[in-house]
């Protein structure tokens, strides 16, 4: 019986640590996609951000050692149990359907712009000149 209780406490601690880590990432990164490598909906969101030229960070939870704990922590934090779980400008946006809906409504690019997800003109100029 003690081992079951001990694993529950360890699991709770692991989820709390994962939540702290996830919040740090979300608060320090303009766009974060919590994803799984095999998820088609995740691929659609990442493809859209790439097509728009937005910089984003992907956390592949099926690859991360604490991925299960991170997904549990995100469910606790956002109420969303599925991936992709998208944050823009430190705010929870939702999953694929919500991201696509915002894009079709013309609301996604302004959100990404406000969050600083697009490289500035000076960054583009310096990166293209360094490629010469």
């Amino acid at each position: 019986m003690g081992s079951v209780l001990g694993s529950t406490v360890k699991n709770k601690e692991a989820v709390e640590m994962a939540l702290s880590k996830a919040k740090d990432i979300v608060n320090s990164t303009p766009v974060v996609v919590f994803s799984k490598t095999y998820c088609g909906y995740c691929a659609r969101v990442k493809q859209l951000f790439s097509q728009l030229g937005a910089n984003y960070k992907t956390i592949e939870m099926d690859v991360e050692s604490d991925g299960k704990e991170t997904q549990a922590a995100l469910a606790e934090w956002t109420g969303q149990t599925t991936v992709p779980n998208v944050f823009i400008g430190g705010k929870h946006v939702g999953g694929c359907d919500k991201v696509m809906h915002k894009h079709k409504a013309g609301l996604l690019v302004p959100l990404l712009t406000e969050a600083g997800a697009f490289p500035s003109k000076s960054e583009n100029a310096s990166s293209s000149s360094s490629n010469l």
Side-chain angles (χ1 to χ4, degrees), residues 23-89:
K23 285 184 175 183
D24 286 346
I25 292 167
V26 165
N27 290 327
S28 64
T29 310
V31 181
V32 183
V33 180
F34 290 92
S35 173
K36 291 189 178 176
T37 57
Y38 56 82
C39 171
Y41 295 107
C42 298
R44 284 183 64 198
V45 168
K46 293 182 282 189
Q47 181 181 26
L48 174 61
F49 288 156
S50 293
Q51 286 173 344
L52 293 172
N55 293 323
Y56 62 94
K57 180 176 184 76
T58 302
I59 308 297
E60 298 292 0
M61 294 192 295
D62 58 322
V63 175
E64 295 289 319
S65 61
D66 62 348
K68 288 181 183 177
E69 293 81 7
T70 301
Q71 190 160 6
L74 289 170
E76 194 176 288
W77 181 21
T78 67
Q80 179 180 326
T81 59
T82 58
V83 292
N85 204 331
V86 179
F87 292 80
I88 299 174

